């Protein structure tokens, strides 16, 4: 019995060690790609600013985290970091539409509608990055999200062969951040394996070149429902 218990604890410790190792790997191999505004201005030929989706309130306004991502993405666009924006989020049903809220917010802040692409099937960070490369055919992007989230997004991008840089949208303190940080450790581990296996998202669809007109993405169909 003692031997069985020892083996059990060895397995548990090994799993914990692997989780912490992969978490550290994701952070250490990507933190140098999180850039300031001035550093991003030194980059050339960026195809798009990818703003990752987040919770939308019941009144169809962005949550604090999403609003800060949008403000940061809009700033980069206004500073001519890239000519196009991709709003990638959850639009799995007609009752919940992150990307419309995101695009409407950007338009209300002076961004041209045709420069804003809507990725209606950005159901996860992995899906958003995969689709930026395979659907929108982006080759070089800047990803906008809170700092803790950028490491994973950048790791996925690099693993999929997409040149990417990160820009932090930490404009305030967010409630529940400790829980997010803990969940993110597991999410980083999951996406390491997704990146190794090159898992395809459930939804891909036709190619829509990010160099074109973003209004082509205004009306899309997800899960067979008209949006």
């Amino acid at each position: 019995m003692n031997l069985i218990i020892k083996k059990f604890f060895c397995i548990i410790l090994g799993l914990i060690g692997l989780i912490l190792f992969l978490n550290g790997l994701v952070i250490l191999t990507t933190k140098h790609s999180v850039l300031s505004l001035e550093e991003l201005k030194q980059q050339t030929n960026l195809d798009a600013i990818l703003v990752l989706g987040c919770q939308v309130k019941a009144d169809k306004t962005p949550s604090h985290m999403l609003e800060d991502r949008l403000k940061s993405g809009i700033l980069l666009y206004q500073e001519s970091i890239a000519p196009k924006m991709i709003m990638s989020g959850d639009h799995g049903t007609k009752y919940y539409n992150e990307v419309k809220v995101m695009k409407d917010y950007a338009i209300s802040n002076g961004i041209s509608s045709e420069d804003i692409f809507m990725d209606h099937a950005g159901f996860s960070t992995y899906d958003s990055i995969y689709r930026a490369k395979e659907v929108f055919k982006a080759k070089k992007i800047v990803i906008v999200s809170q700092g803790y989230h950028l490491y994973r997004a950048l790791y996925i991008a690099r693993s999929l062969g997409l040149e990417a840089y990160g820009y932090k949208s930490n404009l305030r303190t967010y409630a529940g951040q400790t829980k997010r940080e803990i969940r993110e450790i597991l999410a980083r581990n999951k996406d390491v394996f997704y990146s190794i296996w090159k898992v395809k998202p459930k939804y891909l669809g036709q190619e829509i070149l990010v160099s074109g007109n973003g209004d082509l993405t205004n009306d899309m169909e997800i899960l067979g429902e008209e949006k």
Side-chain angles (χ1 to χ4, degrees), residues 48-56 66 69-70 73 84-92 96-104 106 115-133 135-136 141-145 149 153 162 201 203-204 210 217 222:
I49 299 156
L50 174 61
V51 181
L52 297 176
C54 193
Q55 182 184 12
V56 166
L66 181 56
R69 294 179 190 185
L70 291 167
K84 304 288 183 177
M85 301 184 74
I86 301 174
M87 304 299 189
S88 184
D90 185 346
H91 185 190
Y96 186 77
N97 190 344
E98 288 179 1
V99 288
K100 185 179 188 304
V101 171
M102 294 166 76
K103 181 161 185 172
D104 287 348
D115 287 341
I116 306 169
F117 289 75
M118 301 167 73
D119 176 12
H120 299 260
F123 300 123
S124 69
T125 303
Y126 181 88
D127 287 0
S128 294
I129 304 299
Y130 196 108
R131 288 172 55 80
K133 181 175 184 289
V135 174
F136 296 100
I141 61 173
V142 54
I143 303 169
V144 179
S145 188
H149 187 205
L162 181 60
Y203 298 99
L204 279 175
V210 76
T217 63
I222 301 297

Side-chain angles (χ1 to χ4, degrees), residues 52-78:
L52 297 176
C54 193
Q55 182 184 12
V56 166
K57 298 178 185 177
D59 63 359
K60 297 184 179 180
T61 59
S63 60
H64 288 163
M65 292 187 78
L66 181 56
E67 183 178 29
D68 289 351
R69 294 179 190 185
L70 291 167
K71 285 181 177 179
S72 299
I74 289 167
L75 172 64
L76 297 183
Y77 177 90
Q78 292 172 337

Side-chain angles (χ1 to χ4, degrees), residues 137-175:
K137 295 300 176 181
K139 296 180 180 179
K140 186 176 180 180
I141 61 173
V142 54
I143 303 169
V144 179
S145 188
Q146 278 70 30
Y148 80 99
H149 187 205
L150 283 176
Y151 304 121
R152 175 160 57 105
L154 290 168
Y155 185 89
I156 294 167
R158 189 187 67 172
S159 298
L160 296 178
L162 181 60
E163 185 176 353
Y165 301 91
Y167 184 73
K168 290 183 181 180
S169 60
N170 299 64
L171 304 184
R172 68 186 95 185
T173 300
Y174 308 101

